[in-house]
Amino acid sequence: MEYALSVKDLRVSFYTRRGVFKALNGVNLELRRGEVLGVAGESGSGKSTTGLAIMGLLPRNAKVSSGSVLFDGRDLLAPLTSIRKFSTGRNESAIRKLHRELAPIRGKRISMVFQEPMTSLNPVLQVGYQIAETLVIHNPSLLASRKLARVRATREDTTALLKVIKENEGSETAVREFVESRHLKGLEEQALFIWRRNDINELRKERLILDLCCEKVGSTTKRLLESLEGGMGITKAPVLSRLLRRVLFKEGYRKAVEFLSTLGVPNPEKVVQMYPHELSGGMRQRIVIAIALINNPDVVIMDEPTSAVDVTVQAQILELVKDLKRRVNSSFIFISHDLSVLGEVSDRIAIMYGGRVVEVGPKEIVLKAPRHPYTTMLINAIPTLDGREIRGIEGEAPDMRNPPPGCIFNNRCPFAMDKCRKEEPPSYKVSEDHYVACFLQGGK
Amino acid sequence: MLIAARNLTKFFELRGGLTGKGAVQAVSDVDVEVREGEIVGVVGESGSGKSTLGRLLLGLIAPTSGEVLFDIPEELLQKYDEARSANDKKTMEEIASKYSITRKSGRELRALRRRMNMMFQDPYSSLNPRWRVEDIIMEPMVSTGYLTGNEARKRVRELLEEVGLPREFAYRYPHELSGGQRQRVALARSISTLPSFLVLDEPTSALDVSAQAQILQLLKRIRERFRIGLLLITHNIAVVSYMSDRIYVMYAGKVVEGGPKTSIISKPQHPYTVALISAVPGNSRGPRVILRGEPPNLVDPPKGCHFHPRCPMVMDNCGWTAKEVAEELEFLLRGRYYGMLKEGSKVVPQGELEILVEGAKAEEVRKVIEEEKEEVKSLRSIYEVREGNGGALVKLMRYDIPGMYRTDEGREVSCLIYRKT
């Protein structure tokens, strides 16, 4: 099977003044195309570190001692794994190299949604600017062609376009064909967006589609946009780049409005002009999701996206994620400490403990018939609405600076055997798609 | 009755600003009760006023109005309630002056501190990092004069065992402990003077589920052993439903529903409670209700029922004002019914219950309202549209403010649906 992304035997440790903190101890994860993979675990289990490592967002005291993150046929963490002996200086230059290599991927092909939307948005920039920014950086040619399409189109073109939309009832392929035949690429998504709005009446829609034409731009701007559309980067010439950027950001705002309205943001025209502090928690989280998704990434990593919001808003966000899963063709990694949240959105769930994936499988099986003792105990510790008796897990999570030998869970496991204290259990396949790292499940 | 709050209200005054004064109406007109040895859960989203309520009950902040009656005999509380419904200020005053903690002097209040205590959410900031565990647990005993020096030290050891920590922990510092262990220390501190009333403000929200389960079990055991009345404040409905005997649901500073746990969880009555319980992930009972929007700004809360703008079952008299209706009407007239509103004309609210649609015909506006009533619920409050003042004059129904209505055994709901006429 082909994976959207796979993590192989990833080991990451952090060098601190108080010892080496072994955050990840051989994480194996495969993300299939189009699925939502839930990653659960308590604090310190390494679930967030896994997310950050995939993005290459590691601090300079992090050492990747082995493993790889395979995406699109290449190892994203290659510059870091090549370091043999750890030193901050060597690591720093490797991380700088990593950032350089990953810059075109981050935000475009792999993107991330963080927990606290107030800290992941820039407080002094309008949210529209922040959405537009990802477009201008990663996809300026799209913005250029959108703008140019409106410049090139004549009233006659849009009238014909409207007719095509009406005749085919907004079918995407028909509109695309028409637009291509007239060399007006970039117009189709704007027209279809207007057509699909349901807060305005037909008359207004027709009017707006007809108005997608005859825009005027200065000849310099036009030339700049054309070179951009032709595949050149944004020019670095001093005055010109400023001019071009201004046009692109303006177009980015337009696209942001369209995108936000598909995420169920009411009144997006006003919202893009606002600053993060003016928005409520749920709305901010939608903005962050918009930034992550606007470039149609292959992989979206969501790190506790609902932990900072209230239950009713959480329900809205989860509903949105479920809807996105149907609509866009990205694959999602959804990290959360709350198993019931994962039960809502994921296809498969991976349970992490002590920097390892202890169990992974389809969500129904992991939640209803778990096989690893930790998963069972974790599920029994969660209070539910029916008020059934809960049981805490005795003991404390091990100190990851000095993890016990053998299975990382052996000091709290009621079934621990001698073998568990000596050897690390491999991942056993217990049924189709269901893997458990526990000696009880095999290896007699 | 261990503790009973009546018409408890707290407005936090806003300072500064050019537009003049305002107040955050954190808690408005709330009645709650906790009996001896009972666990009462308070659930609500952030900003619903649940933490403020807990602090008011302990007298940590002074209420704007209302009474907190501590240790009041059942008969007297009943007498107070009767006097309140009869509007007999004299009797109310008489009882309140004796039992209300808001009337107590500093010295009397300090004596009461021994009998009530609080446990906080964040075990990382509620324990002094420079004190040893022993000193932390000892402090309330010494400062209230409950025990002195060596007796208190001895008691610390007993308390540590009570909360499931080894005696040697007395000499440790908070940073040496894990989150769950710290919260046990905080619990030992809060029960050190054997209080009869304890407020737990999100005691497990900062913990992992495995530690949370341990603390919750411990709390249940402590309640059994010492018969402490607990007020458990949390946003986690599952925790409340596991722990409490009774539940209060708060929304935007008001208690919207209260009653025994089992009946509220299995049969919520207030539309907000219905939505709240259905929003719990993994809950499979009934269809999911997704609320629109977010909790209101409490400086200027919605009129009538605070929940009406988000309520899926909202009726015509739930609190719609001209401002809200005008906004939705204008949105419709500029969007779906584009062309009805002339260029430059507006939809202007006039006072609380009247709206002027400039330059529009009453007949047309009426048609729009008829057609959209089903979907745009605010339009239901319109009872008349007529020509006037150079446009269509839209008149709204007067709204009602919901009171607390008794439904079945021990249940109270603050929703007009349950008003008996």
Side-chain angles (χ1 to χ4, degrees):
Chain A
M1 183 177 294
E2 208 196 333
Y3 298 116
L5 183 126
S6 71
V7 179
K8 287 222 163 69
D9 191 41
L10 189 62
R11 287 169 198 271
V12 176
S13 32
F14 296 108
Y15 282 68
T16 66
R17 268 188 291 177
R18 299 167 68 200
V20 181
F21 190 95
K22 302 192 176 67
L24 300 183
N25 303 300
V27 171
N28 286 296
L29 274 179
E30 275 99 27
L31 179 65
R32 297 181 188 151
R33 288 195 191 282
E35 79 166 347
V36 177
L37 173 67
V39 178
E42 297 184 281
S43 45
S45 63
K47 55 188 193 307
S48 286
T49 310
T50 310
L52 292 172
I54 293 171
M55 290 290 278
L57 295 171
L58 291 169
R60 59 183 198 162
N61 65 342
K63 183 190 180 203
V64 181
S65 45
S66 81
S68 55
V69 175
L70 294 173
F71 173 75
D72 205 12
R74 60 184 271 215
D75 180 7
L76 295 184
L77 292 182
L80 273 181
T81 29
S82 57
I83 300 178
R84 252 186 246 126
K85 198 155 174 302
F86 180 84
S87 86
T88 330
R90 247 179 303 207
N91 213 31
E92 236 167 64
S93 66
I95 283 178
R96 227 173 290 140
K97 189 168 167 227
L98 183 79
H99 288 336
R100 247 195 331 271
E101 280 183 13
L102 289 184
I105 291 179
R106 284 183 196 150
K108 183 167 196 207
R109 308 208 47 202
I110 306 180
S111 58
M112 192 153 186
V113 175
F114 296 94
Q115 170 170 0
E116 182 41 77
M118 200 57 221
T119 50
S120 53
L121 288 172
N122 189 333
V124 297
L125 296 177
Q126 292 181 349
V127 297
Y129 185 94
Q130 300 185 50
I131 300 174
E133 195 176 30
T134 36
L135 283 165
V136 172
I137 290 172
H138 290 295
N139 213 348
S141 60
L142 171 79
L143 294 178
S145 58
R146 278 171 59 103
K147 176 84 183 167
L148 283 173
R150 292 205 306 279
V151 173
R152 288 178 190 138
T154 57
R155 179 66 72 165
E156 190 267 317
D157 283 327
T158 49
T159 319
L161 175 64
L162 183 63
K163 212 171 138 209
V164 171
I165 293 180
K166 272 186 161 171
E167 275 166 9
N168 298 292
E169 284 164 355
S171 135
E172 223 172 307
T173 41
V175 175
R176 189 154 290 149
E177 267 168 30
F178 170 81
V179 166
E180 250 150 50
S181 71
R182 302 237 174 168
H183 304 288
L184 292 171
K185 212 168 152 295
L187 204 61
E188 73 275 14
E189 55 174 35
Q190 304 178 53
L192 283 170
F193 161 70
I194 295 170
W195 188 251
R196 285 173 190 160
R197 280 174 74 161
N198 51 10
D199 55 340
I200 50 179
N201 72 351
E202 304 290 299
L203 227 81
R204 183 95 197 273
K205 281 184 193 171
E206 288 177 15
R207 184 73 177 281
L208 284 172
I209 292 177
L210 288 178
D211 279 348
L212 290 173
C213 73
C214 325
E215 254 179 53
K216 301 262 183 304
V217 288
S219 59
T220 328
T221 321
K222 192 168 178 199
R223 233 185 2 262
L224 286 170
L225 285 171
E226 271 162 352
S227 75
L228 199 57
E229 195 185 19
M232 306 272 282
I234 296 178
T235 166
K236 291 219 169 69
V239 180
L240 297 179
S241 81
R242 200 120 132 272
L243 181 70
L244 182 58
R245 272 170 189 279
R246 195 179 308 149
V247 178
L248 289 178
F249 268 104
K250 217 164 178 188
E251 190 58 40
Y253 269 70
R254 253 186 110 116
K255 167 111 182 154
V257 169
E258 293 174 16
F259 199 74
L260 284 180
S261 87
T262 64
L263 294 188
V265 173
N267 217 341
E269 285 89 351
K270 262 197 198 134
V271 170
V272 292
Q273 310 274 350
M274 289 186 182
Y275 292 88
H277 74 268
E278 297 176 80
L279 299 167
S280 62
M283 208 52 85
R284 273 183 221 139
Q285 201 55 285
R286 271 172 227 248
I287 304 291
V288 179
I289 291 175
I291 295 174
L293 283 164
I294 198 154
N295 280 320
N296 263 326
D298 298 284
V299 175
V300 183
I301 301 167
M302 299 188 143
D303 188 1
E304 306 258 12
T306 63
S307 302
V309 296
D310 282 315
V311 214
T312 52
V313 179
Q314 169 173 290
Q316 294 170 2
I317 301 276
L318 292 182
E319 208 59 25
L320 175 65
V321 173
K322 277 193 260 180
D323 179 51
L324 286 173
K325 181 169 100 180
R326 278 192 298 272
R327 257 194 359 226
V328 303
N329 36 16
S330 307
S331 320
F332 295 84
I333 295 180
F334 197 107
I335 299 169
S336 175
H337 67 279
D338 191 339
L339 268 177
S340 41
V341 165
L342 294 182
E344 288 281 311
V345 293
S346 355
D347 299 308
R348 289 189 307 141
I349 293 182
I351 310 278
M352 290 191 69
Y353 182 82
R356 290 199 72 190
V357 175
V358 294
E359 180 159 4
V360 58
K363 101 178 153 194
E364 296 82 15
I365 295 180
V366 172
L367 293 181
K368 297 268 154 57
R371 299 288 284 272
H372 196 283
Y374 174 67
T375 317
T376 319
M377 292 170 82
L378 188 66
I379 290 171
N380 284 338
I382 302 171
T384 55
L385 280 185
D386 47 34
R388 75 179 157 87
E389 209 38 52
I390 57 171
R391 295 244 301 277
I393 304 177
E394 290 301 319
E396 304 282 335
D399 180 6
M400 296 307 288
R401 270 167 299 198
N402 198 0
C407 172
I408 200 93
F409 189 55
N410 70 36
N411 61 334
R412 302 170 86 180
C413 181
F415 310 107
M417 308 173 282
D418 279 346
K419 194 176 184 186
C420 302
R421 297 193 182 88
K422 289 182 200 120
E423 284 172 56
E424 221 174 90
S427 213
Y428 294 107
K429 180 173 183 173
V430 290
S431 64
E432 190 57 39
D433 250 15
H434 185 194
Y435 295 86
V436 179
C438 178
F439 285 123
L440 292 175
Q441 303 305 329
K444 265 136 208 148
Chain B
M1 190 65 62
L2 180 57
I3 197 163
R6 289 293 179 262
N7 304 91
L8 201 57
T9 301
K10 178 69 186 178
F11 291 177
F12 291 104
E13 292 289 331
L14 291 175
R15 290 168 194 217
L18 293 168
T19 46
K21 276 194 233 159
V24 178
Q25 308 183 8
V27 171
S28 38
D29 204 14
V30 161
D31 285 8
V32 293
E33 291 163 5
V34 181
R35 297 190 186 89
E36 284 86 5
E38 185 184 38
I39 302 185
V40 174
V42 178
V43 257
E45 298 181 277
S46 49
S48 61
K50 51 191 197 305
S51 286
T52 308
L53 176 67
R55 295 160 61 120
L56 283 170
L57 289 181
L58 292 180
L60 295 179
I61 45 177
T64 309
S65 66
E67 308 290 351
V68 178
L69 307 166
F70 188 69
D71 231 355
I72 181 172
E74 216 64 55
E75 317 83 70
L76 275 177
L77 183 63
Q78 210 161 21
K79 208 167 144 200
Y80 182 90
D81 286 345
E82 278 160 18
R84 183 169 67 159
S85 43
N87 211 4
D88 176 1
K89 289 262 159 62
K90 203 165 141 257
T91 323
M92 283 164 71
E93 189 59 34
E94 214 171 83
I95 299 172
S97 65
K98 202 159 158 216
Y99 290 98
S100 180
I101 64 165
T102 60
R103 317 291 181 92
K104 300 257 196 270
S105 69
R107 181 177 301 172
E108 287 172 305
L109 211 53
R110 261 199 299 285
L112 273 183
R113 287 275 168 255
R114 197 175 67 70
R115 305 213 32 219
M116 42 169 77
N117 212 337
M118 186 156 184
M119 182 175 158
F120 298 92
Q121 167 173 7
D122 185 3
Y124 293 85
S125 55
S126 65
L127 304 180
N128 190 334
R130 296 162 61 151
W131 285 13
R132 283 178 308 188
V133 166
E134 179 180 57
D135 302 319
I136 291 170
I137 300 178
M138 231 170 84
E139 205 270 343
M141 294 191 265
V142 176
S143 67
T144 57
Y146 176 68
L147 287 176
T148 48
N150 281 334
E151 284 173 333
R153 256 173 244 284
K154 214 187 276 163
R155 180 93 184 105
V156 168
R157 308 297 190 280
E158 290 166 29
L159 283 166
L160 278 175
E161 272 181 8
E162 204 70 66
V163 297
L165 291 175
R167 281 163 176 252
E168 305 82 75
F169 271 47
Y171 300 109
R172 295 212 182 172
Y173 284 92
H175 76 261
E176 298 172 65
L177 310 180
S178 71
Q181 289 166 340
R182 282 176 209 225
Q183 211 55 319
R184 283 169 196 263
V185 171
L187 179 62
R189 172 176 63 182
S190 58
I191 60 169
S192 61
T193 59
L194 285 184
S196 44
F197 178 55
L198 194 58
V199 173
L200 309 164
D201 191 358
E202 304 266 11
T204 59
S205 305
L207 303 179
D208 278 321
V209 277
S210 60
Q212 163 173 290
Q214 290 174 8
I215 295 287
L216 293 182
Q217 282 173 307
L218 180 63
L219 281 172
K220 272 197 161 177
R221 215 179 60 226
I222 296 281
R223 188 273 296 251
E224 298 284 300
R225 230 174 104 71
F226 300 108
R227 263 185 74 72
I228 306 178
L230 299 180
L231 188 83
L232 175 68
I233 297 167
T234 174
H235 66 276
N236 190 331
I237 303 141
V239 166
V240 160
S241 119
Y242 171 66
M243 293 289 289
S244 11
D245 305 313
R246 281 189 310 121
I247 296 181
Y248 290 107
V249 182
M250 287 192 74
Y251 182 78
K254 293 204 173 205
V255 169
V256 294
E257 183 162 7
K261 166 190 75 183
T262 35
S263 74
I264 287 198
I265 298 289
S266 60
K267 221 177 84 210
Q269 289 174 329
H270 194 283
Y272 175 66
T273 322
V274 174
L276 190 67
I277 289 177
S278 86
V280 176
N283 176 22
S284 49
R285 38 184 113 196
R288 173 143 304 167
V289 185
I290 304 273
L291 291 179
R292 291 182 312 152
E294 308 203 12
N297 178 359
L298 290 181
V299 176
D300 181 24
K303 298 282 183 299
C305 170
H306 285 184
F307 184 55
H308 80 262
R310 302 174 75 194
C311 182
M313 301 173 73
V314 68
M315 303 183 296
D316 47 10
N317 58 344
C318 280
W320 297 110
T321 56
K323 208 170 146 237
E324 291 166 317
V325 179
E327 208 169 273
E328 301 223 71
L329 202 56
E330 180 154 12
F331 184 73
L332 279 176
L333 294 179
R334 292 214 184 279
R336 206 169 292 167
Y337 296 88
Y338 178 70
M340 246 169 91
L341 214 55
K342 293 196 183 66
E343 234 16 85
S345 47
K346 283 190 209 125
V347 180
V348 203
Q350 301 191 315
E352 276 228 312
L353 298 171
E354 232 176 53
I355 304 165
L356 176 68
V357 187
E358 288 176 356
K361 289 204 183 65
E363 191 52 41
E364 285 178 358
V365 175
R366 212 171 289 145
K367 220 170 25 304
V368 172
I369 291 166
E370 262 333 296
E371 218 154 292
E372 294 294 334
K373 232 175 182 172
E374 216 27 64
E375 211 174 314
V376 186
K377 292 177 176 116
S378 63
L379 299 184
R380 294 176 193 179
S381 63
I382 296 169
Y383 77 93
E384 195 190 357
V385 185
R386 60 182 171 81
E387 307 279 346
N389 290 5
L393 213 50
V394 176
K395 289 199 163 184
L396 303 188
M397 195 177 273
R398 196 162 289 283
Y399 59 82
D400 295 320
I401 297 169
M404 269 294 188
Y405 307 113
R406 284 198 175 276
T407 50
D408 26 84
E409 10 61 77
R411 297 275 299 263
E412 285 180 317
V413 185
S414 168
C415 178
L416 292 174
I417 296 173
Y418 296 93
R419 180 167 64 172
K420 292 184 186 81
T421 41

